[in-house]
């Protein structure tokens, strides 16, 4: 999608390639997953501006440095994947999808019991399939 052919690169075990892995602080990770944060390439290799829908706290950096000391062994995140995520975020916000996603996540957090008539089935499906793992087993 968006001019990128990721179907082969990100299928099966390839999804866990280091180029598709990024470690983020919990709040930043949540914003990234909910399409409220993305990285824009700068003129410097592997340095990205952190772009957000809601402003970051002043204590957060405005730029991310994805350089590694072992470039041949530990590659940084793929610039193509970061650009694809950025494009998806922008389109999602233009189309109102991000607000729907946030609303659905809030609904999952607020619901205490599933409807007997099955109308909460789509919400349950979303909660079970979500990368946020909204439903916890006790």
């Amino acid at each position: 999608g968006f001019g990128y052919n990721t179907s082969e690169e990100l299928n099966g075990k390839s999804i866990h390639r280091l180029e598709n892995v990024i470690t983020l602080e919990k709040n930043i990770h949540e914003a990234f997953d909910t399409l409220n944060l993305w990285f824009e390439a700068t003129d410097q290799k592997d340095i990205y501006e952190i772009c957000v829908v809601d402003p970051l706290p002043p204590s957060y950096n405005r730029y991310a440095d994805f350089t590694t000391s072992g470039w041949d062994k530990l590659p940084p995140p793929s610039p193509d994947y970061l650009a694809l995520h950025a494009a998806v975020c922008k389109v999602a916000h233009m189309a109102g999808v991000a607000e729907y996603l946030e609303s659905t996540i809030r609904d999952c957090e607020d619901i205490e019991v599933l409807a007997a008539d099955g109308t909460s089935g789509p919400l349950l499906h979303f909660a079970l399939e979500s990368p946020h793992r909204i439903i916890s087993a006790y």
Side-chain angles (χ1 to χ4, degrees), residues 5-6 8 11 20 23 28 32 39 44 47 69-71 73 78 86 98-100 112 117-118 127 135 138:
N5 182 6
T6 57
E8 290 300 317
N11 264 337
N20 191 42
T23 302
I28 297 293
F32 186 85
F39 300 97
Q44 294 179 286
I47 306 291
S69 58
W71 170 253
K73 296 178 183 158
S78 165
E99 291 80 13
Y100 173 77
E112 293 182 12
D117 65 0
I135 292 181
Y138 296 100

Side-chain angles (χ1 to χ4, degrees), residues 51-83:
C51 301
V52 291
V53 173
D54 297 320
L56 288 172
S59 61
Y60 282 67
N61 290 329
R62 293 210 42 216
Y63 294 90
D65 181 349
F66 291 129
T67 57
T68 63
S69 58
W71 170 253
D72 59 328
K73 296 178 183 158
L74 300 172
S78 165
D80 288 342
Y81 300 162
L82 292 173

